[in-house]
Structures are given as C-alpha cells and as structure tokens.
Amino acid sequence: MIIAVDGPAAAGKGTLARGMAKSLDFAHLDSGALYRAVAYAMLRDGTDPSDREAAVAASRHLNIDLIDAPEIRGEGIGKLASAIAKIPDLRANLLDFQRNFARHPPGGVAGAVIDGRDIGTVVCPDADVKFFVTASDEARARRRVLELEGRGAPADLETVRADLARRDAQDRNRTAAPLKPAPDAHLLDTTELDIEAALARALEIVAQAHGR
Ligand code: DC
C-alpha cells in the first residue's frame, strides 16, 4: 500500500506522514530530504549553487545516508533545495529511489508513506491514498519558528513567513512537477487541528479507503 502526502512547507505533512507510518507499521520517506541532501552536498563541496550541471551531477552521486543528517535541516539548505528542485534532470535522478522505496519499502513492511510536493501527481500517481495537507500562512510560519527554536536555531516570525511564501511560490510555479494537489487527493487543512487530531482524521480516511 502506498500513501502519498503532499503540501507546502511546514503544513504538517512530515509529522502526519511519520505518524501514519508508525501507526500502520509502514516505512516513511521524507522526499524533501533528498533535495535537501543534494543542496547540502553542493554547499559542502563548494559547488556554485547556480551551476545547473553541477547540481545534476550532485544528484547523480548522492550519498543516500545524508537524508538522515541533521545538517540538511537548516533554512538555507531548504531554500537551495527548492531552487535546484526546478531542474528536470535532477528530479529525474531522484525518481527511481522514491519509486523503489514505494514499491519495496525497507524492512519488508506492507506499505510506504512518502511525503513531498509531487508524490501523488508524479512519483506515485497510482498511490492508494493521497493527501494534500495545507495550513494558513500564519500557522505554518509559527510552526516552523517553533521547529527551528527546538533545534537551537531561533528565527524571526516575519522572516520565516516571507521565506516560506517565496519557497512555496517557487515550488508551485515551476514547470517540472509543480506543487499541486492530485485530482484524487484528500484535502486536509491542519490550521485548526493539533497533531493528534490531524493524524486521527488521516487514519480514518485511510481506513475508509482501504478497510484497514
Ligand atoms: O519538504 P522540504 O521543505 O524539506 O523540501 C525542500 C524542498 O525540496 C522543497 O522546497 C521543494 C523540494 N521538493 C520537491 O521539489 N519535491 C518533493 N517531492 C519534495 C521536496
């Protein structure tokens, strides 16, 4: 079983995807970590961030262990990840890993939950259940600030709000696999929902869709 969870930055899709995977005993993949890992590798290696060929090469030689590294979580890495995610050849290099994870989840478990921007539309258009998770700009900015504070990187609310807006516009308006809901996605607005309520709602939808 494949569950696709898409949505803009800091809407709660990662937390939701992780929670669903835990409840259902499925594997979880944060696909944004792939783009972040490429961005991180470029900065680490002193690669010119605007060099498209170099970005494509970095995605081809990606050390997959980097997706779990705390170093890829910063806001600067998120910005560069969004910028290089516009490059079609780079996206193509990351596609096999994601599809393979979906079809053969590690640990031999019965399903995969993948979160990102284009999982329900491009990576796994045949996913069994699709979600498009949103929240108000205000709620997303507040959550991201709390998350950054939790990691010891305090940030200013207005700056974070402006950064998220820029990143979302970039992710929505690109030509290659833009951020948008799949026609058959369940829309989940988490502005007024806490983590438990959002998870309960999502699991209800999965149960209805697949009798689990
Ligand atoms: O989910 P995140 O904020 O960590 O993702 C970082 C960037 O990676 C995001 O702004 C756009 C890109 N991305 C993408 O293009 N497609 C995905 N499936 C996931 C992330």
Side-chain angles (χ1 to χ4, degrees), residues 159-181:
T159 310
V160 169
R161 194 205 306 263
D163 280 354
L164 286 179
R166 255 195 307 274
R167 188 134 74 86
D168 288 345
Q170 183 160 255
D171 292 345
R172 277 183 215 282
N173 296 326
R174 68 183 178 217
T175 321
L179 166 68
K180 65 173 178 201

Side-chain angles (χ1 to χ4, degrees), residues 39-54:
Y40 173 77
M42 289 177 72
L43 292 181
R44 182 198 56 198
D45 299 343
T47 308
D48 174 2
S50 63
D51 183 339
R52 292 169 68 98
E53 287 307 313

Side-chain angles (χ1 to χ4, degrees), residues 62-73:
L62 180 65
N63 167 9
I64 211 68
D65 292 344
L66 269 181
I67 67 175
D68 296 317
E71 294 88 337
I72 69 169
R73 290 289 139 201

Side-chain angles (χ1 to χ4, degrees), residues 193-210:
L193 298 179
D194 61 17
I195 293 167
E196 288 76 22
L199 180 58
R201 179 76 196 110
L203 289 171
E204 221 173 80
I205 291 170
V206 172
Q208 274 163 12
H210 272 265

